Amino acid sequence: MKKLILIIFALLLGFSINAQARRDRMGNPVINREPTEEEIAKYEQKLEERKDEYISNFLTTLEADDFQKEIIKQYLNSYFDSKKELLKVKYERIFDREQAIKKLDDTHFKDLEELISENDMSKIKEMIKGNFDEKEVLKDKKKKRKKRKKDQD
């Protein structure tokens, strides 16, 4: 009898916890729904701004001149747009998608290799692989700002 009461108590407690977990901070139940077109447009706008900020932060790490940086910026923008389009395409197998992305990675920056130094090209390839640490760049920018501000005072 005690075991039955304990089991019933545990079930009620579990259901209660589960029901409370599916509520937001105001106590309203969370309902999964499709985002509206307005929300999608707003999210895409934020992503575009974030992409521009990411690219500009990356460009500060390169040793190229302003003209080369502008060309690199255009190549990076077109690369990210192409990759986004590739990810939207429905492939039969994951392997096909991976091959398409690998081909894009290998061929997209071929023309750029002639214009910039090997060091900058290796940085671009590392960034494409996902090895670019943006936090370090932001820390450096912050230190430079503090130093300039200190020098002005």
Side-chain angles (χ1 to χ4, degrees):
M1 187 69 177
K2 288 183 182 181
K3 289 183 180 179
L4 181 65
I5 292 174
L6 286 174
I7 291 173
I8 291 173
F9 179 72
L11 283 174
L12 288 176
L13 184 64
F15 289 141
S16 174
I17 290 172
N18 187 30
Q20 293 300 318
R22 292 184 292 157
R23 294 182 180 271
D24 63 4
R25 289 186 295 184
M26 300 302 288
N28 300 326
V30 176
I31 300 171
N32 293 336
R33 62 176 176 81
E34 292 291 321
T36 63
E37 290 181 22
E38 186 176 297
E39 290 172 336
I40 291 172
K42 189 176 179 182
Y43 182 71
E44 286 179 353
Q45 178 66 28
K46 282 183 181 180
L47 281 179
E48 190 67 30
E49 290 172 5
R50 178 69 184 111
K51 179 180 81 169
D52 292 339
E53 181 184 332
Y54 183 77
I55 290 173
S56 66
N57 285 338
F58 173 72
L59 289 176
T60 59
T61 65
L62 301 179
E63 295 142 6
D65 62 359
D66 291 338
F67 178 71
Q68 289 174 330
K69 284 183 181 181
E70 188 61 36
I71 292 172
I72 293 169
K73 182 178 180 181
Q74 291 173 358
Y75 268 88
L76 287 173
N77 277 322
S78 67
Y79 170 78
F80 285 125
D81 292 339
S82 300
K83 190 167 183 177
K84 187 166 96 174
E85 292 301 318
L86 274 178
L87 293 174
K88 285 182 181 179
V89 174
K90 301 282 187 204
Y91 289 96
E92 289 183 25
R93 300 178 304 183
I94 294 174
F95 178 73
D96 295 336
R97 173 176 283 149
E98 290 172 356
Q99 289 295 90
I101 291 173
K102 185 173 177 17
K103 183 179 178 186
L104 176 69
D105 291 348
D106 293 340
T107 59
H108 192 78
F109 295 101
K110 284 289 184 197
D111 298 337
L112 196 59
E113 287 178 351
E114 300 169 2
L115 298 173
I116 62 174
S117 68
E118 286 183 28
N119 188 23
D120 286 346
M121 194 64 206
S122 65
K123 285 182 182 180
I124 290 173
K125 292 203 184 252
E126 288 295 315
M127 192 262 304
I128 289 171
K129 290 178 186 175
N131 297 334
F132 173 60
D133 188 16
E134 189 178 17
K135 292 178 183 178
E136 290 295 323
V137 174
L138 294 176
K139 285 180 184 178
D140 291 342
K141 278 185 177 181
K142 191 174 181 180
K143 285 180 184 178
K144 286 180 183 178
R145 243 185 281 127
K146 283 184 178 181
K147 186 176 181 180
R148 265 190 257 131
K149 193 173 184 179
K150 199 175 200 181
D151 290 343
Q152 287 178 356
D153 290 341

